[in-house]
Amino acid sequence: MIYVNDHIEEFDFEAALPLLSDQRREQALRFRYPLGRQTCAAAYLLLCKGLHDDYGIDEKPVFTYGEHGKPSLVGHPTIHFNLSHCREAVVCALADRPVGIDVESVRHYKESLARYTMNDDELQQILTADRPDVAFTRLWTMKEAVLKLSGEGLHNNLKEVLRGMTGITTVVSPDERYVYSVVYRNP
């Protein structure tokens, strides 16, 4: 299941603090700027909502982290999740198998970045799109979702990340402010 909050400007961080686990509260408070604190807390609360709605779990989730930093839920090894946030939205994916999700704001398109991170086919998709900024963001979120699924994180071979990948779902917000992509490990 995918949960989205794209009303970050309305999110009340102070009201959210008591709803966070000690672990997540400390993590949120480490962010230097208010937006980082808000999105960190809002993503956690989406996870809480999903755990309640999908699994009937009302306890505050606590995370443990894998070798490359991929989080999992203490006490619930069969529930998989992934969180992501940007200026415009926070997203949470919950599943019974490994999942990766990424959300990014649509920003000014930079061809130099596209040439560094995209292969020739992807670059062609971007260059022929009506909105190269949206096309680039769509492909970027797909790559990050795949890397978050594996737990690898960003690496030097970004041009090859999507080769042979299927089953990635991408959503562009109706106002084209943000894009998110989600991918699940095949059963």
Side-chain angles (χ1 to χ4, degrees):
M1 192 66 165
I2 307 299
Y3 293 88
V4 178
N5 177 350
D6 58 5
H7 298 287
I8 301 303
E9 68 282 353
E10 299 169 12
F11 187 80
D12 185 344
F13 178 71
E14 294 301 322
L17 278 174
L19 304 174
L20 306 178
S21 68
D22 292 342
Q23 178 191 51
R24 192 62 172 195
R25 186 178 313 108
E26 288 173 18
Q27 186 178 11
L29 291 171
R30 282 194 294 263
F31 280 87
R32 183 175 179 182
Y33 297 105
L35 180 62
R37 292 185 198 119
Q38 285 177 297
T39 56
C40 179
Y44 181 84
L45 293 181
L46 279 184
L47 174 62
C48 291
K49 177 179 177 22
L51 289 171
H52 170 81
D53 292 355
D54 296 348
Y55 297 95
I57 296 172
D58 290 321
E59 65 201 49
K60 294 177 183 177
V62 175
F63 305 156
T64 186
Y65 296 91
E67 177 184 352
H68 299 289
K70 185 174 174 88
S72 59
L73 297 172
V74 171
H76 301 283
T78 61
I79 300 174
H80 300 270
F81 77 99
N82 208 224
L83 305 172
S84 186
H85 48 82
C86 66
R87 290 183 142 311
E88 281 70 39
V90 296
V91 293
C92 171
L94 275 166
D96 59 357
R97 57 190 166 148
V99 60
I101 193 166
D102 185 56
V103 64
E104 299 288 339
S105 303
V106 175
R107 296 193 183 134
H108 178 72
Y109 169 68
K110 294 180 182 177
E111 189 170 335
S112 61
L113 181 59
R115 289 192 181 282
Y116 182 73
T117 59
M118 303 293 163
N119 64 41
D120 290 341
D121 292 338
E122 295 163 347
L123 193 56
Q124 188 62 31
Q125 289 176 47
I126 294 166
L127 294 174
T128 59
D130 290 337
R131 293 275 315 267
D133 55 344
V134 173
F136 173 83
T137 305
R138 180 182 65 80
L139 287 163
W140 182 263
T141 62
M142 292 169 69
K143 289 174 186 264
E144 281 220 38
V146 167
L147 293 170
K148 289 176 74 178
L149 169 68
S150 69
E152 291 178 60
L154 291 177
H155 55 68
N156 290 335
N157 200 12
L158 289 174
K159 292 183 179 188
E160 302 304 316
V161 169
L162 298 179
R163 290 225 195 264
M165 286 299 301
T166 59
I168 304 171
T169 301
T170 301
V171 175
V172 178
S173 68
D175 57 7
E176 296 184 329
R177 289 183 307 140
Y178 65 89
V179 177
Y180 72 84
S181 293
V182 63
V183 62
Y184 301 89
R185 179 161 298 145
N186 292 331

